[in-house]
Amino acid sequence: VNGRPLTEYHARGKTYVEAIRGAEYELEIRNPLPDRVAVALSVDGLNSIDARHTSAWNSSKWVIEPYGTIKIGGWQMSSERARRFYFTDERDSYAAKLGQTANIGVITAVFFRERRRYPVPITPPQTSQRDEQSSRPAKPPSSSSESAGGERALKRAPIDDDYAATGIGRSVRNDVRWIEMNLDSNPAAHLTI
């Protein structure tokens, strides 16, 4: 909130943050791995990219480069626009507007590693010098989760006012582009707040 991390509170095996009504917030997600990852991020049980309620495997995902960090500040509405996250009550929440209130107040990130882009041979085959260049694996194309223009890459996936929830706020510019990734089928990590 306001560029500062919220204090985390731990109780009953869960992690909590204080939801200050009306405060806009963003989620900062770090990839501590040496591999590119795709992150299924849901807020109030809704995917932050397409607002669907699906499994982490089947959801649209944010892509983070090795050891990289991204900030997600709202619900992605198109390839150019997002609507800001803000703390509110259940009645005013985006989830209530969509009739999906089962996971109000829950933020979940599920990380999937990218599979290697080409096979790594255990023992090199015997080749002549002439064949050597043609038998080398192609260098994987380099790509970035943020382009020079600030685009982020994406992987294609009853009312009670006592609960904190997330509203669908003001429209802001947030350029993204779709990419294809081959992911490990088992999550590398799963975090819930």
Side-chain angles (χ1 to χ4, degrees), residues 30-35 37 65-68 111:
R30 290 186 187 97
N31 176 8
L33 303 173
D35 306 301
V37 297
E65 293 299 316
Y67 307 111
F111 296 76

Short mmCIF file of all heavy atoms in Angstrom, two decimals, residues 30-35 37 65-68 111:
data_model
loop_
_atom_site.label_atom_id
_atom_site.label_comp_id
_atom_site.label_asym_id
_atom_site.label_seq_id
_atom_site.Cartn_x
_atom_site.Cartn_y
_atom_site.Cartn_z
N ARG A 30 8.22 -12.23 -6.24
CA ARG A 30 9.62 -12.49 -6.57
C ARG A 30 9.81 -13.94 -6.97
O ARG A 30 9.22 -14.83 -6.37
CB ARG A 30 10.51 -12.19 -5.36
CG ARG A 30 10.62 -10.75 -5.04
CD ARG A 30 11.65 -10.51 -3.91
NE ARG A 30 11.60 -9.12 -3.52
CZ ARG A 30 10.92 -8.65 -2.49
NH1 ARG A 30 10.22 -9.45 -1.73
NH2 ARG A 30 10.94 -7.36 -2.22
N ASN A 31 10.66 -14.15 -7.94
CA ASN A 31 11.05 -15.49 -8.36
C ASN A 31 12.46 -15.75 -7.81
O ASN A 31 13.42 -15.20 -8.33
CB ASN A 31 11.04 -15.60 -9.88
CG ASN A 31 11.54 -16.94 -10.37
OD1 ASN A 31 11.77 -17.86 -9.59
ND2 ASN A 31 11.73 -17.05 -11.67
N PRO A 32 12.60 -16.58 -6.78
CA PRO A 32 13.93 -16.85 -6.22
C PRO A 32 14.67 -17.96 -6.96
O PRO A 32 15.75 -18.36 -6.54
CB PRO A 32 13.59 -17.29 -4.79
CG PRO A 32 12.28 -18.00 -4.95
CD PRO A 32 11.54 -17.22 -6.03
N LEU A 33 14.10 -18.45 -8.05
CA LEU A 33 14.66 -19.59 -8.76
C LEU A 33 15.50 -19.18 -9.96
O LEU A 33 15.29 -18.12 -10.54
CB LEU A 33 13.51 -20.50 -9.23
CG LEU A 33 12.56 -21.01 -8.15
CD1 LEU A 33 11.39 -21.73 -8.77
CD2 LEU A 33 13.32 -21.91 -7.18
N PRO A 34 16.42 -20.07 -10.39
CA PRO A 34 17.22 -19.78 -11.58
C PRO A 34 16.48 -20.10 -12.88
O PRO A 34 17.06 -20.03 -13.95
CB PRO A 34 18.44 -20.71 -11.41
CG PRO A 34 17.91 -21.87 -10.63
CD PRO A 34 16.86 -21.30 -9.71
N ASP A 35 15.20 -20.46 -12.78
CA ASP A 35 14.37 -20.79 -13.94
C ASP A 35 13.26 -19.76 -14.10
O ASP A 35 12.81 -19.17 -13.13
CB ASP A 35 13.68 -22.15 -13.72
CG ASP A 35 14.66 -23.26 -13.40
OD1 ASP A 35 15.55 -23.50 -14.23
OD2 ASP A 35 14.53 -23.86 -12.32
N VAL A 37 9.51 -18.75 -14.38
CA VAL A 37 8.31 -19.36 -13.81
C VAL A 37 7.07 -18.66 -14.32
O VAL A 37 7.12 -17.51 -14.76
CB VAL A 37 8.32 -19.32 -12.26
CG1 VAL A 37 9.47 -20.12 -11.68
CG2 VAL A 37 8.31 -17.91 -11.72
N GLU A 65 10.90 -13.78 -14.96
CA GLU A 65 12.23 -14.24 -15.36
C GLU A 65 13.00 -14.76 -14.15
O GLU A 65 12.65 -14.47 -13.01
CB GLU A 65 13.01 -13.08 -16.01
CG GLU A 65 12.43 -12.62 -17.34
CD GLU A 65 12.41 -13.71 -18.40
OE1 GLU A 65 13.41 -14.44 -18.55
OE2 GLU A 65 11.38 -13.84 -19.09
N PRO A 66 14.09 -15.54 -14.37
CA PRO A 66 14.89 -16.04 -13.25
C PRO A 66 15.32 -14.90 -12.33
O PRO A 66 15.80 -13.86 -12.80
CB PRO A 66 16.10 -16.68 -13.93
CG PRO A 66 15.60 -17.06 -15.29
CD PRO A 66 14.61 -15.99 -15.66
N TYR A 67 15.11 -15.07 -11.04
CA TYR A 67 15.45 -14.11 -9.99
C TYR A 67 14.75 -12.75 -10.17
O TYR A 67 15.14 -11.77 -9.56
CB TYR A 67 16.97 -13.91 -9.89
CG TYR A 67 17.72 -15.20 -9.72
CD1 TYR A 67 18.54 -15.68 -10.74
CD2 TYR A 67 17.61 -15.94 -8.56
CE1 TYR A 67 19.23 -16.88 -10.59
CE2 TYR A 67 18.30 -17.14 -8.40
CZ TYR A 67 19.10 -17.60 -9.42
OH TYR A 67 19.78 -18.78 -9.27
N GLY A 68 13.73 -12.71 -10.99
CA GLY A 68 13.03 -11.45 -11.28
C GLY A 68 11.91 -11.16 -10.30
O GLY A 68 11.53 -11.98 -9.46
N PHE A 111 3.24 -21.24 -8.23
CA PHE A 111 4.36 -21.11 -9.15
C PHE A 111 4.62 -22.41 -9.90
O PHE A 111 4.68 -23.47 -9.27
CB PHE A 111 5.64 -20.75 -8.38
CG PHE A 111 5.59 -19.43 -7.69
CD1 PHE A 111 4.86 -19.25 -6.51
CD2 PHE A 111 6.28 -18.34 -8.20
CE1 PHE A 111 4.83 -18.03 -5.87
CE2 PHE A 111 6.25 -17.12 -7.56
CZ PHE A 111 5.52 -16.96 -6.39
#
